[in-house]
């Protein structure tokens, strides 16, 4: 994959930037040019507005992958899930910060910024969202960070946390 | 639109065909279909060729004229057209060929399907076939084709109480049938335990839930039903050929355990053929992944939604009900040379409807149905065939 091909999607892959139809208010991720559900199909042209997902969601279904996709060899077995975001759209991504056996349908998760894979030793490193179980207040690695002001994007690139 | 018949069939062995090149297998299947249909090459109107990824597998694009050329037909300057629809490329080529003859644009066309998948490593081949899912929003995040189907399986188990063993029943049946099919990739039988305990690919799907990577080609000769007996003793009518599509990514579907593309292609096909599921004696169902076959039987209306697991457990489609499925061995055991699959399914149905399926013959088969899927169900093609008595 060329740098440009990945780079042009970074607003979506890093920050979960989606879109919302201003006619019927349905939210989409990734962003769409026309609204598929709005009955006034073509009236949505030019009326799709940017919409930021919060990154909060729930596991709808999942698999534990043993035969990995290319570039994911070092991560097996890994949990892959379809997550329904609280705003409505569904996304596919890995579930991390949890042993695969503990991933369940209905697990509440939030998006987290991670390294996805690298293209060989000298190739491009891809970053993007993965999902982690939502911590209860006062527990887990994010404890104590709740008082910090929330960054404007849902996910802020933080190289110290950029691990699979 | 006029009625269209299948006048001839041809098929190579499926499997790891190290000794044979892409052009060899493509030509072999095509000539068999022409000879079987007793049609001279000079009467041919065109060639439709289903192929998913010759560029990625062989670094060769533009393969339709290539096959035409090596079939000795370049001098006839016929139109040769490649058709791509992921795993449904073969059935889609058949759809295009059917429309061409039905419309009257051409009288006789060969529809071929061919794929050569073993000239690259398994890892490379997996990467190529995974690309029938959404590269940008599924694969980039670590998804593979089997893991996406595994998520359909997990959801089906969660919603309807489908068991791991229910998924395994279809591969067992497929291998049983393929043991009687000399052209099949795998002719060994497997047990339920072997499938359930096969090496995990993407939980809950094991290796034996997944169809293999195969080389192979299949072809049919199409012509107008009127006058078909000049070319064959037993014309088989294409009673319906229907295509339906859906969202590219699995996560955007209306329901994760329903392939709406199959629902719509199936409804349209039964309507066109004026048939219902119980009229079908033989069906070739796309079971590239065991869960896919189970869900397809529900989506085509052979069983109610959610009852696919119980139907598999009871062997309802393995000889105990009005419809028998995958007498060829299915994608799982006959093999899965992507672009050839949809055509090979139809070849098996024609054998059945002509009464030429030997040990695999379903007595009195009159109506057959083929179901072929691309990706995780972004495309489905349903074909209904009928024996003309």
């Amino acid at each position: 994959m060329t740098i440009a091909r990945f780079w042009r999607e970074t607003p979506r892959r890093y920050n979960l930037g989606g879109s919302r139809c201003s006619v019927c208010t349905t939210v989409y991720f990734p962003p769409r040019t026309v609204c598929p559900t709005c009955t006034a199909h073509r009236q949505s042209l030019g009326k799709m507005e940017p919409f930021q997902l919060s990154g909060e969601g729930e596991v709808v279904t999942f698999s534990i992958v043993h035969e990995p996709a290319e570039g994911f060899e070092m991560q097996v077995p890994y949990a892959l899930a379809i997550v329904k975001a609280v705003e409505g759209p569904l996304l596919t991504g890995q579930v991390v910060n949890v042993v695969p056996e503990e991933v369940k349908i209905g697990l509440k998760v939030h998006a987290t910024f991670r390294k996805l894979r690298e293209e060989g030793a000298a190739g491009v490193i891809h970053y993007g969202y993965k999902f982690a179980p939502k911590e209860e207040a006062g527990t887990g690695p994010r404890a104590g960070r709740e008082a910090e002001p929330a960054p404007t994007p849902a996910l802020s690139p933080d190289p110290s946390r950029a691990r699979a | 639109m006029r009625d269209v018949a299948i006048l001839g069939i041809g098929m190579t062995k499926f499997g790891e065909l190290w000794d044979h090149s892409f052009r060899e297998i493509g030509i072999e299947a095509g000539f068999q279909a022409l000879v079987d249909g007793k049609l001279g090459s000079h009467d041919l109107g065109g060639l439709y060729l289903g192929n998913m990824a010759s560029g990625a597998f062989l670094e060769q694009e533009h393969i339709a004229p290539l096959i035409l050329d090596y079939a000795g037909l370049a001098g006839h300057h016929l139109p040769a057209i490649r058709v791509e629809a992921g795993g449904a490329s073969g059935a889609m080529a058949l759809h295009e060929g059917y429309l061409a003859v039905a419309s009257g644009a051409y009288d006789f066309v060969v529809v071929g399907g061919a794929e050569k998948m073993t000239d690259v490593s398994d890892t490379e081949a997996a990467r190529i076939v995974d690309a029938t899912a959404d590269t940008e929003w599924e694969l980039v995040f670590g998804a593979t084709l089997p893991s996406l189907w595994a998520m359909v399986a997990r959801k089906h188990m969660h919603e309807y109480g489908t068991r791991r063993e229910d998924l395994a029943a279809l591969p067992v049946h497929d291998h049983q049938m393929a043991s009687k099919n000399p052209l099949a990739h795998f002719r060994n039988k497997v047990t339920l335990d072997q499938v359930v305990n096969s090496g995990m690919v993407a939980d809950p799907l094991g290796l034996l839930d997944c169809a293999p990577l195969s080389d192979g080609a299949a072809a049919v000769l199409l012509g107008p039903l009127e006058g078909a007996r000049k070319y064959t003793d037993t014309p088989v009518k294409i009673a319906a050929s229907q295509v339906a599509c859906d969202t590219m990514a699995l996560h955007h579907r209306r329901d994760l355990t329903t392939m709406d593309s199959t629902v719509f292609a199936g409804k349209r096909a039964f309507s066109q053929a004026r048939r219902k599921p119980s009229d079908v004696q033989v069906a070739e169902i796309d079971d590239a992944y065991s869960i896919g076959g189970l869900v397809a039987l529900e989506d085509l209306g052979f069983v109610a939604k959610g009852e696919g697991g119980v139907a598999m457990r009871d062997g309802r489609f393995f000889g105990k009900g009005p419809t028998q499925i995958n007498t060829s061995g299915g994608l799982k055991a006959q093999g899965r040379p992507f672009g050839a699959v949809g055509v090979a399914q139809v070849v098996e149905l024609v054998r059945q409807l002509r009464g030429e399926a030997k040990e695999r013959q379903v007595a009195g088969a009159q109506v057959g149905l083929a179901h072929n899927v691309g990706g995780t169900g972004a495309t489905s093609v349903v074909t209904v065939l009928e024996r003309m008595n």
Side-chain angles (χ1 to χ4, degrees), chain B residues 269-290:
Chain B
F270 281 120
S271 163
Q272 186 190 353
R274 296 193 179 84
R275 294 286 184 179
K276 54 188 186 302
S278 60
D279 295 333
V280 175
Q281 289 90 37
V282 280
E284 290 287 312
I285 302 297
D286 194 315
D287 61 338
Y289 303 94
S290 55

Side-chain angles (χ1 to χ4, degrees), chain A residues 12-54:
Chain A
R12 274 70 77 182
R13 294 219 178 98
Y14 287 15
N15 288 332
L16 289 173
S19 65
R20 182 170 61 183
C21 173
S22 62
V23 180
C24 74
T25 73
T26 310
V27 176
Y28 296 98
F29 184 86
R32 287 180 182 261
T33 311
V34 289
C35 175
T37 44
C38 185
T39 49
H41 200 252
R42 268 177 288 179
Q43 284 173 21
S44 66
L45 259 180
K47 293 182 183 167
M48 302 298 288
E49 53 197 24
F51 186 89
Q52 181 69 51
L53 298 191
S54 67

Side-chain angles (χ1 to χ4, degrees), chain B residues 34 39-45 73 76 78:
Chain B
L34 278 175
L39 187 87
S41 304
H42 52 277
D43 289 326
L44 209 54
L73 298 172
H76 293 248
L78 298 176

Side-chain angles (χ1 to χ4, degrees), chain A residues 1 5-6 8-9 12-13 29-32 60-70 72-73 78 80-82 89-94 105 116-117 126-130, chain B residues 123-124 126-127 130 134-144 146-148 150-156 158-159 200-205 247-253 256:
Chain A
M1 205 176 274
R5 184 171 167 193
F6 204 85
R8 76 172 74 99
E9 297 297 348
R12 274 70 77 182
R13 294 219 178 98
F29 184 86
R32 287 180 182 261
V60 174
T61 184
F62 68 98
S63 172
I64 309 302
V65 182
H66 294 259
E67 292 288 337
E70 203 176 17
F72 290 79
E73 294 84 355
Y78 58 87
L80 183 80
I82 292 180
L90 285 91
L91 298 79
T92 296
Q94 282 175 264
I105 290 175
L116 296 175
R117 61 166 194 163
H126 296 172
Y127 295 91
Y129 52 79
K130 294 186 181 184
Chain B
T123 313
E124 182 69 4
R127 192 182 63 78
D130 282 349
D134 190 332
T135 301
E136 303 284 352
W137 301 105
E138 293 181 315
L139 305 188
V140 156
F141 297 96
T144 59
S147 66
L148 292 167
M151 292 200 285
V152 175
R154 173 91 55 200
K155 186 76 172 154
H156 202 279
H158 181 80
E159 297 273 313
M200 201 55 89
V201 172
D203 191 13
L205 301 182
T247 64
M248 188 65 183
L250 176 68
H251 58 242
H252 285 144
R253 300 286 159 70
L256 293 175

Side-chain angles (χ1 to χ4, degrees), chain B residues 295-378:
Chain B
V295 165
L297 288 166
E298 297 174 345
D299 296 341
L300 290 166
F302 285 104
V303 287
K305 192 80 228 164
E307 287 178 16
V310 177
M312 291 296 176
R313 206 175 306 160
D314 296 347
R316 215 180 296 173
F317 299 99
F318 308 151
K320 290 181 188 166
T323 308
Q324 291 201 43
I325 64 169
N326 294 6
T327 58
S328 67
L331 279 67
K332 171 66 198 81
Q334 177 169 253
R336 191 190 191 196
F338 270 60
V341 164
V343 183
Q345 289 179 319
V346 165
V347 166
E348 173 67 5
L349 293 179
V350 171
R351 289 189 202 112
Q352 288 285 352
L353 298 177
R354 285 177 177 176
E356 295 172 356
K358 303 198 172 88
E359 286 176 84
R360 311 192 300 283
Q361 185 63 45
V362 172
Q366 289 286 323
V367 178
L369 176 144
H371 161 257
N372 194 195
V373 168
T376 55

